[in-house]
Amino acid sequence: MAQPAGRAAPASVPGQSRGQAVSPAEYAPGTVPAPRQPTSAVPPARATAGGADHPGAPAHTDPEYTPTERDLPVIARGVGPGSTIADLSTADFADAIEPAPAAAPAHADQEGLGPLFVVGDVHGYLDELRAALAEQGLIDAEGNWSAGKARLWFLGDFTDRGPDGIGVIDLVMQLSAQAAAAGGYCKALMGNHELLLIGAKRFGDTPVQSGAGTASFQAAWLLNGGQRTDMERLEDHHVQWMSRLDAMVEEDGHLLLHSDTTAYLEYGDSIEAVNDTVTETLQRGDADECWDLFRKFTKRFAFRDEAGAMAVRELLDTYGGERLVHGHSPIPYLLGEVGAEDADGEDSRPLVNGPHVYADDLAIAMDGGVTMAGKLLVVQFPLHG
């Protein structure tokens, strides 16, 4: 089906069943350090978790609702090739990458499709995204598409927590048009934070039914790192673009989707059916239906316990593909490593250098934890080595 543009395993958490939602307290043990400081030129207007910037925001106690903790533990970031840019504004970006040539351009002088690249969760970190794309030869120093016939897929979660989510969306939309003109394509999938932002824009504080009573998209958006500057800059064409994003796609034997959950099975028995159902749900504009969609796509960790490989195979058998590629859950959490300092003050925090392959080598995690001072992953597939 032609896709429209835009459109090893650690011990499981006690008491967690496959695909079950997990609260932040269950997967972020210990004292939570301050979140990563923003690096973009756009100043953030952070909301405090629990809605301190939004008086009267209801607390979320729905056992099936999984808030994506915004004050995540910090993990170490690599030094040297592959490191993200931490201290440069967007205006300084071109000068920063000009002295060191990017990797060989991804476009190849060949007929047919170009190489396939996949991008993990971005969460508003525009400078880091530009750096990672430039390193792979996908954009030039001015931020324009330079990869010819290459294929680029984003796994969703463009906004929230980071300083410039709307800038990220604008860049993806720009690259989509430029890639199509060059004979390649740049496309994106629906993440749970796209559903959250759409809901906050459309429904605001409208009460929705949850397993523990009532909630609202606005309160959930603030709880999950919603940036007021993003909401102020969000325009109708951004919402329309997000609302048409597909939920899953198969490329070169890889089943791409955002969340590590089996909830997709509830929306159809084919890729086309799932994508149609998600789009139709958003078009109907029923707040409760949209909340249920958001809640289910926020579930995580379905593939990491001892039944994880079976869950992955169920999705692959239903939708096709030989391997499943997802974002959503940061790799340190999948590894059971949240980072800390030992008694001697030594930094024992994990370093994310690339995707995490697990579940009998059937699942590939792509959320490198950019919100945790980790790495924003842009990776060419199939993986080698």
Side-chain angles (χ1 to χ4, degrees):
M1 168 180 167
Q3 298 294 331
R7 278 199 51 122
S12 58
V13 177
Q16 176 189 342
S17 62
R18 178 167 65 85
Q20 177 180 339
V22 182
S23 70
E26 289 177 300
Y27 66 80
T31 302
V32 178
R36 174 193 181 104
Q37 294 301 310
T39 64
S40 174
V42 178
R46 291 190 179 277
T48 56
D53 287 349
H54 183 63
H60 292 279
T61 56
D62 181 353
E64 294 190 73
Y65 169 67
T66 312
T68 306
E69 181 74 22
R70 63 183 291 253
D71 292 337
L72 295 172
V74 175
I75 63 173
R77 188 169 30 175
V79 177
S83 297
T84 55
I85 287 182
D87 303 312
L88 297 179
S89 67
T90 302
D92 295 328
F93 177 80
D95 291 338
I97 67 170
E98 190 66 32
H107 60 82
D109 294 329
Q110 61 182 24
E111 296 296 325
L113 298 175
L116 173 65
F117 292 83
V118 177
V119 185
D121 300 36
V122 182
H123 282 301
Y125 287 94
L126 178 60
D127 292 339
E128 285 78 0
L129 174 61
R130 287 164 60 95
L133 293 172
E135 183 184 355
Q136 293 287 0
L138 294 163
I139 64 172
D140 60 23
E142 286 71 44
N144 295 310
W145 182 260
S146 62
K149 296 180 180 180
R151 295 167 290 158
L152 180 62
W153 275 99
F154 285 80
L155 296 181
D157 278 10
F158 302 110
T159 67
D160 302 337
R161 303 199 196 106
D164 196 359
I166 301 304
V168 170
I169 292 174
D170 284 337
L171 177 61
V172 177
M173 294 175 71
Q174 167 202 316
L175 295 179
S176 296
Q178 292 176 337
Y185 57 76
C186 169
K187 300 182 182 181
L189 295 177
M190 178 77 72
N192 61 304
H193 280 263
E194 281 69 63
L195 294 169
L196 182 57
L197 183 58
I198 292 169
K201 177 68 171 179
R202 289 182 174 174
F203 307 117
D205 285 321
T206 299
V208 293
Q209 294 301 314
S210 70
T214 59
S216 77
F217 273 104
Q218 175 75 4
W221 176 69
L222 289 170
L223 177 67
N224 284 278
Q227 303 298 303
R228 294 190 186 277
T229 50
D230 281 347
M231 187 62 75
E232 291 168 358
R233 297 163 59 207
L234 183 66
E235 299 182 23
D236 288 343
H237 72 274
H238 296 128
V239 175
Q240 292 169 5
W241 180 79
M242 288 188 292
S243 299
R244 293 193 298 266
L245 295 177
D246 284 339
M248 56 169 52
V249 69
E250 189 271 328
E251 288 271 4
D252 296 353
H254 297 87
L255 180 64
L256 309 181
L257 41 76
H258 174 72
S259 303
D260 47 327
T261 177
T262 58
Y264 294 89
L265 294 166
E266 300 180 38
Y267 291 93
D269 58 5
S270 70
I271 290 175
E272 293 81 0
V274 172
N275 291 336
D276 288 346
T277 301
V278 170
T279 300
E280 290 165 2
T281 299
L282 292 174
Q283 288 176 342
R284 280 194 295 273
D286 180 275
D288 286 323
E289 276 192 334
C290 291
W291 177 265
D292 191 57
L293 183 65
F294 161 69
R295 179 180 61 83
K296 288 176 179 175
F297 278 20
T298 306
K299 293 182 178 180
R300 63 175 81 245
F301 300 149
F303 313 139
R304 77 169 191 172
D305 60 17
E306 52 189 36
M310 184 182 302
V312 177
R313 288 190 180 95
E314 185 177 10
L315 287 166
L316 294 175
D317 289 345
T318 301
Y319 302 120
E322 299 172 0
R323 265 182 162 181
L324 184 151
V325 183
H326 70 85
H328 189 47
S329 291
I331 290 171
Y333 286 145
L334 291 170
L335 294 172
E337 300 171 329
V338 294
E341 289 187 358
D342 60 25
D344 298 325
E346 293 293 329
D347 191 349
S348 61
R349 295 173 294 184
L351 174 65
V352 175
N353 290 314
H356 172 51
V357 182
Y358 67 117
D360 290 350
D361 292 338
L362 294 173
I364 302 173
M366 283 289 296
D367 184 352
V370 66
T371 63
M372 305 156 66
K375 187 173 183 179
L376 200 163
L377 297 177
V378 178
V379 177
Q380 184 173 352
F381 281 77
L383 299 180
H384 300 288

